[in-house]
Amino acid sequence: MADLSPRRLLPVVVAITGLGVLTFAVITPALPDLATELGVSRAAIGFVQGAVAVPGIFLAVVIGYVADRRGRRLVAVASLAIFGVAGLAGFWVRSFWPLVLLRAVQGIGTSGMLSLGVVVVGDLFAPGKDRRWALGINSAGITITAMISPIVGPTAARSGRSCCSGWRCR
């Protein structure tokens, strides 16, 4: 397989990093409804959001080590798989603590996705103007994703709930 140019790989990096940002931003507007649906206080529902961040605190160094030893692609694929499986499982959970646990597992994938963006840009682009440009594009992708996901996420969820009453299908 022919190597792709760094400029052709940059959208993939931005997409993976942006997907990691979605973990935090897209659920925020739904937290009050989720608290009501799960029968917990609005204070307790913060665990659903916070559980995603905790793995990154402890795993950033480990993920970097594994990426250096085993390869960026393996870590990216594993992170995406963990993120996706835990996110899908979280959609079907109907109680609070299992949801918090799945969000923590999803945070493992998220921490890999967020950590790799800057590292891969550093790998792909030589120091100087091109690397600064690529880091700027990646940062813009993160900012745009964080900005629009609280709007797009709940809108998409509402449009997919034709059979549903409340947050989850009954």
Side-chain angles (χ1 to χ4, degrees):
M1 182 169 144
D3 286 335
L4 293 173
S5 73
R7 287 184 181 254
R8 292 191 65 187
L9 288 173
L10 186 58
V12 175
V13 172
V14 172
I16 290 172
T17 306
L19 191 57
V21 171
L22 284 177
T23 308
F24 297 98
V26 79
I27 196 168
T28 304
L31 289 175
D33 292 339
L34 195 56
T36 301
E37 193 67 30
L38 295 175
V40 298
S41 70
R42 289 192 178 192
I45 203 67
F47 281 112
V48 172
Q49 186 74 328
V52 172
V54 172
I57 296 167
F58 299 103
L59 294 177
V61 173
V62 173
I63 290 169
Y65 178 80
V66 173
D68 286 344
R69 297 287 181 246
R70 300 290 182 173
R72 314 288 195 239
R73 183 177 296 172
L74 174 69
V75 172
V77 170
S79 296
L80 286 165
I82 291 167
F83 173 86
V85 169
L88 184 61
F91 179 78
W92 298 107
V93 168
R94 296 190 182 267
S95 55
F96 178 68
W97 288 110
L99 178 60
V100 171
L101 177 65
L102 284 169
R103 292 280 291 168
V105 172
Q106 192 175 31
I108 294 169
T110 299
S111 61
M113 292 159 52
L114 292 175
S115 299
L116 284 179
V118 174
V119 173
V120 172
V121 167
D123 290 346
L124 293 174
F125 293 89
K129 184 179 175 184
D130 283 347
R131 184 180 287 173
R132 288 189 303 271
W133 172 82
L135 287 170
I137 295 295
N138 193 44
S139 294
I142 290 169
T143 303
I144 290 167
T145 303
M147 184 178 70
I148 65 169
S149 59
I151 299 164
V152 174
T155 302
R158 277 193 300 274
S159 68
R161 282 197 283 168
S162 59
C163 67
C164 300
S165 169
W167 180 251
R168 305 226 184 238
C169 292
R170 302 217 188 271

